[in-house]
Structure formats: C-alpha cells, structure tokens
Amino acid sequence: MGVATSCRKPLRLITGLALVAVAGGALAAVVDMPGGPSVRQINLTAPVTIIASQIYDLHLVMLAICAVIFCAVFGVMFYSVYAHRKSKGHKAATFHESTSVEIAWTIVPMIIVIVMAGLATKTVLAMKDTSNSDLTIKATGHQWKWGYDYIKGEGEGISFYSTLATPREQIDGLAEKGVNYMLEVDNEVVVPVGKKVRILTTANDVIHAWMIPAFGVKQDAIPGFIRDTWFKADKIGTYRGQCAELCGKEHGFMPIVVSVKSEADYSKWVGEQKKLMAAKMDDPNKQWTQPELIARGEKVYAAACVACHQATGKGMPPAFPPLDGSKVVTGPKDNQVALLLNGRQGTAMASFKSLSDAELAAVITYTRNSWTNKAGDMISPADIKSARGWDSAKLTQLSAKAP
Amino acid sequence: MSAVLDSHGHAHDHEDHHHGPPAGLMRWVKTTNHKDIGTLYLWFSFMMLLTGGVLALGIRAELFRPGLQYWNPEFFNQLTTMHGLIMVFGAIMPAFVGFANWMIPLQIGAPDMAFARMNNWSFWLLVPAAGLLVASFFVPGGATAAGWTLYAPLSTQMGIGMDMGIFAMHIMGASSIMGSINIITTILNMRAPGMTLMKMPMFCWTWLITAYLLIAVMPVLAGAITMLLTDRHFGTSFFNAAGGGDPVMYQHIFWFFGHPEVYIMILPAFGIISHVVPAFARKQLFGYASMVYATSSIAILSFIVWAHHMFTTGMPAAGQLFFMYATMLIAVPTGVKVFNWIATMWRGSMTFETPMLFAVGFIFVFTMGGFTGLILAVTPVDIQLQDTYYVVAHFHYVLVAGSLFAMFSGVYFWLPKWTGHMYDEGLGKLHFWCSMIFFNITFFPMHFLGLAGMPRRIPDYATQFADFNAVASVGAFGFGLSQLILLVVVLKSIKGGAKAADNPWEGAEGLEWSVPSPAPYHTFETAPHVK
C-alpha cells in the first residue's frame, strides 16, 4: 500500500473536522479586544512601549532566520526523499564522514546563534534598567487578586485591590460573554502616558506573575521578595494581561488591566482617588450595631474570603476548611481575631491585617452569625484595634491554639 | 559504526540446553530476563501513555470553548499537573528504559543485563509509584494541582495528594537510578569481544550518556521534593521567605534536574533515529564519531542552561545573558545531529516503511520544536512568551513529535524482532499519517495562542482565543484516538502475521539482527566476536 493511497481518506476527514471547528467558533461573531488579544491573533500583541517593540522585532528577525534555515535544510531533505528512493532505482552511495563538511556545519550555526544572541543583548540590558522612574507602583499578588500601592510619584498613597469583573453568569455560560471576557477588572491600574513607571512585584502567598503583553512586561511576584520591572507606555489606552504563573485554583481569574491616561487625566484621576479614599475611611467614632456589622461583613466576605471558604461557608477541604460549624468561628472570639490578624503558618490561611478595623470586625461578626453558626455575639472595631496591640507571641499562641 | 558479526565460533544451536520461560503470571513477577523486563516496561509505559492521554483529553475538552464547562478550576489544575507527571515519569522515561532492556544486550552481544535481579526490582517499583499517582485523585483534596514542576510555595498548600506524588517520585527516581546503574555496567563491561566503544551502536551510546545524566540529576530532584516535604510537615522553611527561605531556590534546584531531564527524554530518541535512518537509506550513518561527540556536548551543556526556565523570576542581567548564550549554544550540536541524519539520507536508496516514516517525521517536526526553542532562548522574547501556550507548543513539539515519534519508529523497527511477525504495514502507515496530521492540528495553533498572550494552565480564556483552542481540541481527540491504531498493530503482530526473517530490513545492521526472530529467550550465551 503506497503512501499516497493510505493517507487520502484520513486527510479528507481531518480537513472536514477542522473546518467544522473553525466555522463553529466563527459563529459567535467575536470581535477584537481593545488592548487585549485580537480574534485569531497570530503574532505578538501590537507593542506600545519601546521594549515591547524591540521584542516584536527580535521575534520577527529570529523567525525569519529560522524560516530560511528551515527551508534550506528541509529543501535538501525533501529533495532527497523525492529523488533518492529505491523505488526510482536510486543506488545508495557509500560516502561517509567528511571533516571539512562537519567543521563547516558546526562553525556556521555557531556564528548564526552568536549573532542572534548579540542582537538581543541590548534589549536585555534595557529591560533591566529600572532607574530614574517617574512613578513607582507596587503590585502584590494575592490568591486571587492583585493589590496595588502607589509608592512614589504623583498619586503616592493610593492603594486598592483589583479583582476580576467578569460576572459569574458569563463564565457559567448563562449570559453572553462580553468583549473583555476574562480580562476585565473592577479597579484598573491608572498611569500617565509617556512616563517611566517602575513596577515592584511581590506576593502575599504563592508566586504570581504580572504581565501585560503590549508592554513587553512579565515579572514574577514572589512572596517575601521584591522584584522590579518597568514600562513607558507611548499610547493612551487600556492594556490587558493576566497572572502568568500558576498560583492555585483561580489562577486563570486574576487579570491585570492598565489604563494609560494623558497627564491631565491622570492628575484628575489621582484627585478623585484621594477624595474617594477619604470618604471610604470609616468614621472611627461610629457605633456599629450587630445587623450593620453583619451586612458590612457579608460584603467583606464576598471580596476577601469567598474564593477559598465559598459562599456556603463549606470551604474546599482539606486545603480550605469550612467555616460553617468551624470550632474557630464558633469558639472564643480572641482566637478568631488572632487568626485573622496573624494567619496560620504552613496553611493557605494568610494574615488579613491589611483590612481595616471595621472590615475585620464586620467579617468576623458575619461569620459567627451566618449559615448554621449562631454565636449571637458581635465584635466591635474597638476590639480589633486593641487586638492589634497584642505582641506577636500572644498572636501566634492564640492563632495556633484555635482548634 | 560497523558491528559486523564474525560468523566463527558461536554458531552452536540454541535449542539443546535452553529452557523457555516459566508459564503464568509468576513469569512476569519473578522474571530476571531482560527481554521480559523490557516487555513489561513497554506495556507499562503504554498504559501510562493512555492514562496521561485521557487526562490531556480532559484538559482539551474543557478548553474546547471559553467558559467553564466540565471541571471546576481546581480539578482542571489537577489534570494539567498529573498529565505532565504521568507522561514524563510514567510514559516517556520508562518506555526508553524498556527499549534499553530489550535492545542493549542484543546490540552489544551480551546474554542479559548486568544486574538481573535489580532489573526486576527497578521495574516493579514503578507499579506502586504509578498506583500512588493515580490513587491521589481519589484522596481528600484530590491530586496535586501545583503543576508538574511542583513550584513552592504553591505545592506546600496542597493536600495529601501532594505527599503521595512526592513519594511516587521518590520511588520512580530510585527505579531510574537502579536502571541507569544497570545500563552503565552492562555497556561498560559486557560488550562482545572486539566491540570497542567507538564501534558501539548509537542507541547504546545515547543511553550510556543518558544513564550518566540520570544518575547525576535524579538525586537533585529527590533533594528538592524532600525539602518540599519537610517544609510541608516538619516546620522547615527552605522555600518559605518568612522563615528565611527562598521560593526561587526551589526553581533553581528543580531546573538543575529539569533541564538535563529534557535531554534524558530525547537522547535515546536520537539513538533510535540514528539506527532507523541508515537502515532505510541503505547507507552508513554519515558521521558516527561526530554524532557521539554531539551527544556528549548536548549532555554537558545541559547542566549549564537550567535558569533559562526562570528568566521572569528576575535574575541579574549578567545571569540572563549567560543563560541565553549557553542555551543558544545547544543549537549547534543539535544541528550537527540533524545535518548528519540528512547527510545519511542524501544519495541513499530509500524506502519508506513505517519506521522510516516516523523517523523522517521526527526529523521534520522535532526540528520545528528546536527552532521554537532557539526563539525562546532569546531572553527578551522568552519574557514575552514565558508561561504562555507558545511554551506548551514548543515542548510538545520536542516531546511528542520528538521522543514519542522516535519511540514509535523504534517500535515498528524492532517489533519483528520482538514478536517474530511482521506488523501490518498499512495500519502502521495509517498510524503515522494520523499521528502526524493530528499532532500538528493540535499543537501548531498553540504557537499563535502563545504569541497572542494566552497563559498556560488556565481553565477559561478570553473569547478571542476560542477558534485556535477549538482546532487544538479537535486535533487532540484525533491524536488520542490514533494511538489505538498502534495498540491494534502490536496485538496483531503478537498474535500472528507474516513470519519475520532474522533481519527483516534490507539495510539494517547490528548484532540484534543476527539472532532469530522472535529473539530466543536467551541470546548470546557465548559472546559473538565483532570485527
């Protein structure tokens, strides 16, 4: 049975299947995502920074060199496959080993790869140069959201979390998926156009990675360490990426969106943020009632706890234990307060001391009085405030003792 | 390479004092025969290939469309992790050890492997290890979902499935080390008189170097996962910054194992191709000595490139430049190999039976994986493509179209020697064309997805990525089903078929073709002489 006859049938079947698949996908009439991937994009994302455009060009040059070598090498091979067949009566030659040929095909590729690496060296050095930045932002990876702190430059002091904004119904296929599906957030990182922005990355729990393809930036965010990278966006617009290092269950659901604004718009945004932050601060003298705390706590729970402990409070044992019926949640208050402030070593439970007194008080009160938990009590922001004064030995002891 | 049999002195018959294998299950449990153990390894790895393949199809089913369809994200991560672990440690590595067991004694004219009982033990260790891996899906919390690289500190968060995975890998590592010691000892001490190292068949050469790599790096992996285990349960902080450790140190240790591991999975494949191409081109391998030197260079270089897997962790510019240059150098000896195969084909007298189809297919598609490897070696481009589908495409081009296709080539090449029957050539060719076409439908679009920025290991993705994902999923199911053709071919050849001659291939050379087909239970009890 010849090659030609034995392959004809499967070929037809395969092309048919491929066409069906492509046609099926195209029916949904998806359009390009601004600042994100295009439909059936086949090359790197259009660059908006000098580094990204150097990478774009480097990749094309590499691809071209490889394509030329590929055609030359496999031109020879397939000519040989075509011409030097026994079925054509070709008799085997007996030559083997040729020092000059072998030296040539060692030296020439060596020169080619050194040229290739040489081309890239300048970009490697440029990517590493994070000096003289106009604005420094710290990006902290959390399971599973990003926290941003504006550390230096205009907007210093702004701080917020950024979580996936795609509604659950779209993920579950109950609603039509939007154009920015999976790559949209509630709070975008805002930066000014044409300014050098230094991004410090770190993480709260496991390794994450902060990436924006249009900027040519990808930097791991490592718990306990600070790394940095930089970009200078040349074009106003919104640019999208997502966490690039496997970080657990919701790894695919922590996008990164950067909005590049004109300098004036950026200053306006900074002003708004400052006002918002001031307004958001809870009045320290407010006297909270238990229903108020529970209502507030439900919101905090939905933002900070639900990914692991689930809306049902059932968790996902064994890594993420249930809160419903938990001895910690139904036991003495101090243990639960200490656990939230301190986290628990060696488990996925991180410290949540970055939440405000009111938020912590609310979420603790909420968990103690939800599902089947009926503690009936409440924790006031003042309790949290005083607990923050506990020394680390007491915190560790209480949080570890919590059964 | 000219292992020509000297026909004097050893031509006594095989029948009079030989006994066959004992019957029943205990034959396989207690066997110390290299051919039986080789067969066990090959069947074991084929079953693991199917297991890992089913997991892969679970991944591709979920990714057929955007949105969450079948699995929750946690289980999806378990699928990607266990697919990787099972394919690397359960399918590819044991399969090559199976080839080594069958072919090395036959190729060097030895009666068996040097340590026959240890050989039995190194196979049977694999079975509980595989059991642990598969069983970990059913324990509370499920299998480990930290990716096959098991990066800390994510891997310290997992449930008991992670500990089972660690234990399984310890066992598999012990098995690999025992296998390697056996292979090295056999090759260095048991070659037939006259077979100097530089006359030794290429497959033995590549395995000799691979075995040294295994002995060098398996203990490194064992160290890394043991530190993980003590971090998880005994309060150490090797990879926990809060206790003075460093999560990135795990990656350095892991990839110091992981990069040589890549060559452990491809060097024996190079060896197989270096037998098949000359046999079907009816022409001597073009540069035997340079092939040996190229293999050695690749092995040595593999120890100084590990951090190219870690360009985005943020190492100093000097580190990035060093690892970029070192990595690109590997292209040189790899190129030498490809040029050698093509020079062997050049002006040969070629026929294209299934082993040759897979060999030519290997050279063509593996080289594409080599080119994407070269592109990924360029640090700035790598930073853009790290952890995207481009990397997934790259390593499947070198591991599936590389290692796996070479093994298919080897199976068809030596199957007549193993079973005594020719395989069904029509089905073999069908297997090749289906594998080749579906492989490319599955993995070629992944280059585009990666360039467009789709990260790996995500269960749901932007709708703009949908079309290429759908194509890849269709290809994956086609590729998976195509492998059942191989099963049919092998079973048919075991049951019957045209009787295979001692040397069924016109151009094949080597001692293995001097013994009858199927190879008798005991071969070369008197060493042959090699001129």
Side-chain angles (χ1 to χ4, degrees):
Chain A
M1 194 159 155
V3 169
T5 50
S6 66
C7 74
R8 202 168 289 143
K9 247 187 182 164
L11 249 179
R12 198 185 299 150
L13 180 72
I14 293 154
T15 39
L17 281 174
L19 281 176
V20 168
V22 171
L27 280 179
V30 180
V31 296
D32 294 353
M33 188 191 298
S38 316
V39 179
R40 289 186 290 281
Q41 182 180 331
I42 61 166
N43 198 356
L44 289 171
T45 304
V48 292
T49 67
I50 179 92
I51 293 292
S53 71
Q54 285 180 13
I55 293 173
Y56 191 92
D57 295 342
L58 258 177
H59 170 253
L60 279 185
V61 169
M62 292 286 301
L63 191 64
I65 297 174
C66 289
V68 169
I69 301 172
F70 185 84
C71 291
V73 169
F74 289 104
V76 171
M77 188 182 87
F78 282 114
Y79 173 76
S80 179
V81 165
Y82 165 76
H84 305 146
R85 287 170 176 256
K86 194 185 176 197
S87 57
K88 290 195 162 186
H90 196 272
K91 292 272 179 301
T94 53
F95 69 86
H96 65 97
E97 283 180 23
S98 155
T99 312
S100 50
V101 170
E102 288 175 65
I103 288 177
W105 73 31
T106 310
I107 299 292
V108 173
M110 182 101 84
I111 294 170
I112 294 175
V113 297
I114 289 174
V115 169
M116 284 170 159
L119 290 175
T121 302
K122 185 173 60 106
T123 308
V124 172
L125 297 174
M127 289 172 95
K128 278 283 162 198
D129 180 15
T130 52
S131 59
N132 300 318
S133 61
D134 302 302
L135 177 63
T136 302
I137 303 173
K138 183 172 79 161
T140 307
H142 297 261
Q143 284 175 317
W144 290 273
K145 57 182 175 282
W146 288 95
Y148 296 100
D149 298 281
Y150 285 60
I151 304 232
K152 221 174 110 201
E154 189 183 354
E156 190 174 321
I158 294 175
S159 168
F160 54 87
Y161 285 106
S162 175
T163 53
L164 179 73
T166 301
R168 191 73 216 177
E169 299 78 58
Q170 290 189 15
I171 298 173
D172 290 335
L174 304 174
E176 201 180 326
K177 295 174 173 51
V179 63
N180 297 327
Y181 179 73
M182 279 293 123
L183 298 179
E184 51 198 337
V185 294
D186 52 359
N187 299 311
E188 298 173 352
V189 181
V190 179
V191 298
V193 70
K195 295 278 184 194
K196 185 166 183 176
V197 181
R198 180 177 179 221
I199 298 283
L200 305 177
T201 64
T202 186
N204 191 44
D205 29 51
V206 300
I207 302 174
H208 303 263
W210 198 87
M211 94 153 156
I212 297 282
F215 296 167
V217 164
K218 184 181 288 141
Q219 176 58 54
D220 288 0
I222 301 160
F225 292 84
I226 305 241
R227 297 285 202 264
D228 65 350
T229 182
W230 69 276
F231 64 86
K232 187 157 91 181
D234 296 331
K235 247 173 74 186
I236 291 170
T238 304
Y239 303 99
R240 296 163 199 278
Q242 62 193 111
C243 179
E245 180 67 61
L246 179 64
C247 59
K249 185 164 70 75
E250 310 276 307
H251 162 55
F253 306 89
M254 47 183 291
I256 299 149
V257 182
V258 177
S259 166
V260 177
K261 292 190 188 292
S262 70
E263 276 197 63
D265 284 350
Y266 178 71
S267 301
K268 215 171 103 197
W269 176 81
V270 168
E272 285 164 10
Q273 288 298 307
K274 296 253 158 156
K275 262 186 242 153
L276 263 174
M277 282 168 67
K280 259 193 184 165
M281 294 266 280
D282 288 302
D283 177 359
N285 301 318
K286 178 178 163 80
Q287 290 301 314
W288 292 78
T289 63
Q290 196 211 33
E292 279 175 339
L293 280 170
I294 291 178
R296 177 75 192 277
E298 191 170 3
K299 291 200 186 97
V300 178
Y301 187 84
C305 321
V306 76
C308 298
H309 293 297
Q310 306 292 305
T312 57
K314 300 272 184 233
M316 298 180 74
F320 312 118
L323 300 186
D324 187 8
S326 151
K327 284 185 197 153
V328 181
V329 179
T330 54
K333 293 180 202 170
D334 281 0
N335 293 84
Q336 192 183 0
V337 172
L339 184 62
L340 265 82
L341 286 173
N342 197 47
R344 189 178 288 166
Q345 187 76 37
T347 71
M349 182 65 194
S351 159
F352 284 86
K353 65 179 178 215
S354 58
L355 297 180
S356 74
D357 292 352
E359 284 170 327
L360 279 172
V363 78
I364 292 173
T365 308
Y366 169 73
T367 56
R368 295 176 77 82
N369 295 287
S370 297
W371 315 297
T372 60
N373 298 344
K374 298 277 176 279
D377 54 3
M378 63 174 271
I379 314 279
S380 70
D383 296 337
I384 303 292
K385 199 172 177 195
S386 77
R388 283 189 200 270
W390 294 343
D391 59 21
S392 66
K394 180 167 182 188
L395 272 175
T396 312
Q397 191 222 346
L398 277 172
S399 63
K401 217 182 81 188
Chain B
M1 183 192 83
S2 52
V4 179
L5 190 66
D6 178 355
S7 55
H8 299 292
H10 71 287
H12 64 86
D13 64 324
H14 295 267
E15 276 76 30
D16 54 355
H17 60 284
H18 284 198
H19 54 87
L25 182 67
M26 288 317 276
R27 164 187 177 181
W28 300 104
V29 175
K30 296 191 341 193
T31 184
T32 55
N33 180 288
H34 74 99
K35 300 183 186 82
D36 280 357
I37 293 173
T39 305
L40 284 171
Y41 264 111
L42 289 169
W43 276 112
F44 170 84
S45 54
F46 187 69
M47 279 153 65
M48 295 311 276
L49 181 77
L50 296 186
T51 312
V54 168
L55 302 183
L57 296 186
I59 297 169
R60 286 312 324 170
E62 178 60 55
L63 294 176
F64 180 67
R65 289 193 293 141
L68 289 178
Q69 270 78 236
Y70 305 108
W71 322 119
N72 64 47
E74 179 72 9
F75 185 69
F76 181 88
N77 290 345
Q78 294 177 23
L79 286 178
T80 54
T81 304
M82 297 306 283
H83 166 69
L85 286 175
I86 286 179
M87 286 303 198
V88 168
F89 293 100
I92 302 278
M93 290 172 69
F96 278 128
V97 182
F99 275 99
N101 262 292
W102 250 104
M103 300 320 299
I104 287 176
L106 284 180
Q107 287 193 326
I108 63 172
D112 206 306
M113 297 293 283
F115 304 113
R117 284 199 174 80
M118 188 166 84
N119 206 12
N120 171 293
W121 183 226
S122 52
F123 170 75
W124 281 105
L125 276 179
L126 287 179
V127 177
L132 275 174
L133 278 183
V134 175
S136 71
F137 272 110
F138 304 100
V139 299
T144 168
W148 85 277
T149 50
L150 308 175
Y151 275 9
L154 181 61
S155 46
T156 56
Q157 285 184 354
M158 300 288 148
I160 192 176
M162 181 77 218
D163 303 309
M164 293 168 80
I166 289 175
F167 193 41
M169 267 185 289
H170 273 133
I171 300 174
M172 286 172 162
S175 158
S176 286
I177 290 171
M178 281 193 255
S180 304
I181 292 172
N182 216 340
I183 287 166
I184 292 172
T185 315
T186 307
I187 291 178
L188 292 185
N189 294 301
M190 295 174 66
R191 276 169 289 128
M195 184 181 278
T196 59
L197 279 177
M198 289 309 275
K199 280 186 188 169
M200 192 166 70
M202 271 311 295
F203 180 68
C204 300
W205 253 117
T206 53
W207 241 117
L208 180 65
I209 293 166
T210 302
Y212 275 109
L213 285 180
L214 272 167
I215 289 185
V217 300
M218 289 312 287
V220 178
L221 173 70
I225 57 180
T226 305
M227 285 191 259
L228 211 55
L229 193 74
T230 61
D231 268 14
R232 285 168 55 77
H233 296 296
F234 305 110
T236 57
S237 299
F238 292 109
F239 310 127
N240 174 7
D246 183 351
V248 178
M249 187 176 73
Y250 176 84
Q251 299 182 22
H252 281 292
I253 303 172
F254 180 86
W255 286 114
F256 190 82
F257 146 81
H259 202 77
E261 168 71 11
V262 171
Y263 296 101
I264 287 166
M265 292 190 282
I266 198 66
L267 293 182
F270 290 166
I272 292 173
I273 299 302
S274 301
H275 286 283
V276 172
V277 170
F280 293 91
R282 291 163 182 77
K283 191 162 154 280
Q284 200 178 340
L285 187 64
F286 177 78
Y288 173 82
S290 66
M291 283 298 234
V292 172
Y293 300 141
T295 311
S296 317
S297 321
I298 293 174
I300 291 164
L301 285 174
S302 76
F303 284 103
I304 58 163
V305 297
W306 76 91
H308 68 217
H309 298 269
M310 302 164 52
F311 282 142
T312 62
T313 55
M315 70 184 79
Q320 291 189 335
L321 290 175
F322 171 79
F323 285 108
M324 171 170 75
Y325 278 87
T327 303
M328 298 196 83
L329 275 186
I330 291 193
V332 175
T334 313
V336 166
K337 296 206 145 251
V338 173
F339 298 145
N340 254 301
W341 291 319
I342 292 175
T344 306
M345 292 162 70
W346 187 252
R347 290 177 56 208
S349 175
M350 281 187 275
T351 52
F352 295 92
E353 289 88 343
T354 312
M356 185 62 162
L357 285 178
F358 269 111
V360 175
F362 163 92
I363 298 172
F364 183 60
V365 193
F366 170 80
T367 305
M368 288 164 73
F371 280 126
T372 53
L374 198 57
I375 290 171
L376 284 171
V378 178
T379 310
V381 180
D382 178 82
I383 287 175
Q384 187 71 290
L385 295 175
Q386 166 80 25
D387 272 316
T388 67
Y389 262 86
Y390 194 90
V391 176
V392 177
H394 160 70
F395 67 70
H396 283 94
Y397 265 79
V398 291
L399 278 180
V400 178
S403 309
L404 192 63
F405 278 16
M407 282 194 277
F408 289 158
S409 174
V411 166
Y412 287 105
F413 187 50
W414 284 309
L415 202 56
K417 183 57 61 190
W418 297 342
T419 67
H421 301 118
M422 296 307 287
Y423 58 86
D424 186 326
E425 192 66 55
L427 280 181
K429 284 181 172 156
L430 180 73
H431 177 220
F432 168 74
W433 286 107
C434 286
S435 296
M436 188 69 176
I437 290 164
F438 281 123
F439 168 80
N440 282 291
I441 293 177
T442 310
F443 293 106
F444 202 77
M446 291 186 187
H447 292 113
F448 300 141
L449 290 172
L451 288 165
M454 176 169 162
R456 55 194 288 215
R457 297 163 166 173
I458 58 172
D460 194 3
Y461 49 80
T463 49
Q464 288 77 7
F465 298 132
D467 290 353
F468 287 133
N469 270 298
V471 173
S473 291
V474 170
F477 276 85
F479 186 79
L481 291 175
S482 305
Q483 303 322 310
L484 298 177
I485 304 173
L486 174 67
L487 183 64
V488 172
V489 172
V490 171
L491 291 177
K492 272 184 76 173
S493 156
I494 291 172
K495 272 181 74 180
K499 177 92 187 72
D502 291 4
N503 185 353
W505 310 119
E506 197 182 343
E509 282 185 20
L511 288 178
E512 74 260 40
W513 305 112
S514 69
V515 300
S517 299
Y521 201 56
H522 297 287
T523 38
F524 298 123
E525 285 184 288
T526 310
H529 286 269
V530 175
K531 277 193 282 206

